[in-house]
Amino acid sequence: MDGHAFTTPSEPQPEPEVIRAAALIDAWEGSGGYLESARAELETALKRNPKSATAYREYARYYLVSEPDISGQPVLGSLDAALMSVDRAIELAPGFARAYVLRGHVLTLMGRLDQADAALDKADAIGTDDPWLALNRARLRMRQGKLTEASELCRDVSGRSQVRRIRLSADECLVDFYEATGQFQRMDDTYRHMLTYASDSAWMRGNYSGYLLCVKSDEAGAVREARAALAIMDYGNARFLLASALYRSWATQWEAGRQEQAQPLLDEARGLIDASPAQVVAASCGGKKVVAALRALYRSGQLHPQPAIDAIALAATRRDGAPGVFEVHVRGTGSDEEFVYANTMADYRDPASLTISFTNEAAQALAKSRGGVARELLMDKRLVVAGFVRRQRIDFLREGRPTGRYYYQTHLSVTDPEQVLELGTSTGVSVPATTNQDSALP
């Protein structure tokens, strides 16, 4: 996704306004207010020449960067507009190879991978020395799971190009490859290398913050890089990362008994994002760090537990699970080979029942720490539990095959006894423990 440095003689030649617009989009990188000036240049170019294929191609690039989501990626409406613009460029200039290069990139972002492959093949057949052909094909190969081929393409471009934006994109591609293959030290090395030549890139600094926070659990480093990104450009993902790092730092200090030193971190985090701390931490990294933050928020009185009915409602709205602290009253227990279950209703199939699913390891650890047998320990108890609630479809089986009949349960998975924040006597009528929760349960 570049300007006009790689135009070949067989391609349409850009008007002066288009050259200026391309330079503005190239220079943007999250570091200034260039986009409206770029759009004004493109409008002028199209008024003078309504059939300017190069202007339509640059308009596609403008759409890709003008309305990013919180992670810096184009939203669906922007992708649709970009595709319409680049298709208009190809309609006006069918031999415009770099328009096909860009079309392949847009289609990759849209998930239309076969069409993306065809567009990049078309650009290759026409002929172009545009390095974005290799980079866009690498991104496509990443989406197709062909990681080694993708890394080879990116490494070749990174080693040959002296253009900063191209090197940055190639190195970011390598970072994605290292992450996908678990080579985390090489991720860190590549980010440090990018800092030597692109320290003013807001997106790169924000991405580095995410790596430090989610992979290395380096909250201080994540705060440093997120603040550097926000000093360049104020955008959503960097704010989320900074708030998440601050919440996590606060939780660590609070649980270590340093409440006074921790309070400014909590105050700053709350001022960054209008969302619950659990949502912020989960949106950034998820996992055990969310539970640690929830535990500290609950124990410090900053977060009140929600009842089971709220947990069920939350799970129905979040396919990936909703984080929180939940208060439940156990009315029945069950078990199978892998799990011990605590249910809030006598009939665990009841849509109003929330099931706390303890792995056997977590249930045994809880029983050992509290004394007793897990199912007996949980029966007729009040639990306060931190974690993610998820809605699960349960299929009825016949001879090991789905019958087509199913129902939904809401589960909160407990893999660590530290997720149980309180365990005390409940009130009400309990039901006997069952040997197996359901033969259809996962």
Side-chain angles (χ1 to χ4, degrees):
M1 205 176 74
D2 65 299
H4 288 271
F6 305 97
T7 300
T8 61
S10 62
E11 292 189 343
Q13 297 303 302
E15 295 82 0
E17 295 89 353
V18 176
I19 293 174
R20 290 194 292 270
L24 287 164
I25 295 171
D26 286 347
W28 178 57
E29 291 189 353
S31 59
Y34 299 99
L35 294 184
E36 288 311 307
S37 296
R39 180 168 184 161
E41 294 283 4
L42 293 173
E43 288 292 326
T44 301
L46 287 172
K47 284 179 182 176
R48 293 184 178 179
N49 179 11
K51 295 186 177 182
S52 171
T54 58
Y56 278 107
R57 181 185 179 278
E58 287 308 313
Y59 241 127
R61 294 182 64 224
Y62 165 82
Y63 286 126
L64 288 178
V65 298
S66 61
E67 294 183 33
D69 62 16
I70 65 165
S71 66
Q73 295 300 309
V75 296
L76 183 59
S78 297
L79 290 172
D80 290 337
L83 185 61
M84 290 177 63
S85 291
V86 77
D87 282 350
R88 177 60 174 155
I90 290 170
E91 179 186 353
L92 292 166
F96 196 175
R98 290 187 321 109
Y100 282 102
V101 171
L102 183 57
R103 188 174 200 270
H105 177 60
V106 175
L107 290 167
T108 297
L109 292 174
M110 298 177 85
R112 294 158 61 174
L113 305 186
D114 290 343
Q115 294 177 54
D117 236 339
L120 296 175
D121 286 346
K122 179 69 173 178
D124 207 11
I126 294 170
T128 177
D129 62 354
D130 187 354
W132 292 97
L133 175 59
L135 288 175
N136 291 351
R137 196 180 291 281
R139 288 296 183 185
L140 172 61
R141 293 292 179 259
M142 290 282 247
R143 294 284 293 270
Q144 293 170 328
K146 301 175 181 179
L147 303 181
T148 300
E149 183 182 347
S151 70
E152 290 169 352
L153 289 165
C154 294
R155 193 171 285 111
D156 180 63
V157 174
S158 177
R160 287 189 296 108
S161 180
Q162 298 302 311
V163 179
R164 191 183 100 140
R165 292 188 69 255
I166 295 170
R167 289 176 64 197
L168 191 59
S169 183
D171 285 340
E172 286 173 340
C173 173
L174 288 172
V175 162
D176 290 343
F177 168 72
Y178 294 140
E179 181 175 23
T181 54
Q183 299 182 61
F184 300 122
Q185 185 56 53
R186 298 194 76 174
M187 281 181 73
D188 199 7
D189 293 342
T190 305
Y191 273 124
R192 290 175 181 275
H193 171 64
M194 286 191 280
L195 282 172
T196 65
Y197 69 86
S199 61
D200 60 342
S201 171
W203 303 127
M204 188 274 289
R205 301 295 289 261
N207 292 341
Y208 189 27
S209 174
Y211 160 78
L212 292 169
L213 184 64
C214 300
V215 177
K216 293 194 72 175
S217 292
D218 178 2
E219 283 94 356
V223 167
R224 180 192 67 241
E225 292 302 317
R227 282 179 172 154
L230 290 169
I232 299 165
M233 186 186 71
D234 190 346
Y235 67 102
N237 196 44
R239 293 176 72 87
F240 260 91
L241 287 165
L242 179 55
S244 181
L246 290 167
Y247 278 129
R248 283 172 49 173
S249 296
W250 168 80
T252 299
Q253 292 208 31
W254 194 91
E255 292 208 310
R258 297 188 292 270
Q259 284 86 356
E260 264 188 50
Q261 300 95 313
Q263 189 61 40
L265 301 172
L266 181 64
D267 295 339
E268 183 182 354
R270 282 177 165 164
L272 286 164
I273 297 290
D274 184 18
S276 75
Q279 290 174 324
V280 172
V281 176
S284 301
C285 304
K288 290 185 177 180
K289 296 298 183 180
V290 177
V291 173
L294 289 170
R295 186 170 58 240
L297 286 162
Y298 174 73
R299 289 175 175 167
S300 66
Q302 306 284 341
L303 184 65
H304 298 292
Q306 297 173 273
I309 191 169
D310 287 357
I312 293 166
L314 280 170
T317 65
R318 293 279 297 275
R319 187 173 294 183
D320 58 341
V325 173
F326 305 99
E327 181 179 26
V328 301
H329 299 266
V330 179
R331 298 292 179 252
T333 62
S335 64
D336 59 22
E337 292 181 355
E338 297 181 80
F339 299 96
V340 173
Y341 303 98
N343 308 302
T344 63
M345 302 291 285
D347 181 358
Y348 61 83
R349 295 183 181 89
D350 190 321
S353 182
L354 173 63
T355 294
I356 312 299
S357 307
F358 291 82
T359 63
N360 280 332
E361 293 80 3
Q364 290 166 9
L366 182 68
K368 184 177 180 180
S369 67
R370 305 282 180 144
V373 178
R375 290 206 323 247
E376 295 175 0
L377 183 68
L378 295 169
M379 177 66 70
D380 198 29
K381 294 297 193 301
R382 170 185 174 269
L383 301 181
V384 177
V385 188
F388 288 82
V389 287
R390 293 180 172 87
R391 195 180 188 211
Q392 296 186 5
R393 171 172 156 165
I394 308 298
D395 287 286
F396 288 103
L397 306 178
R398 182 179 293 117
E399 296 179 354
R401 300 178 62 183
T403 63
R405 297 177 59 230
Y406 59 88
Y407 67 100
Y408 287 99
Q409 288 185 344
T410 302
H411 281 224
L412 192 160
S413 177
V414 175
T415 60
D416 184 338
E418 289 295 315
Q419 290 178 244
V420 180
L421 308 183
E422 287 190 36
L423 193 160
T425 303
S426 184
T427 57
V429 180
S430 62
V431 298
T434 58
T435 303
N436 294 295
Q437 180 85 354
D438 196 314
S439 60
L441 280 176

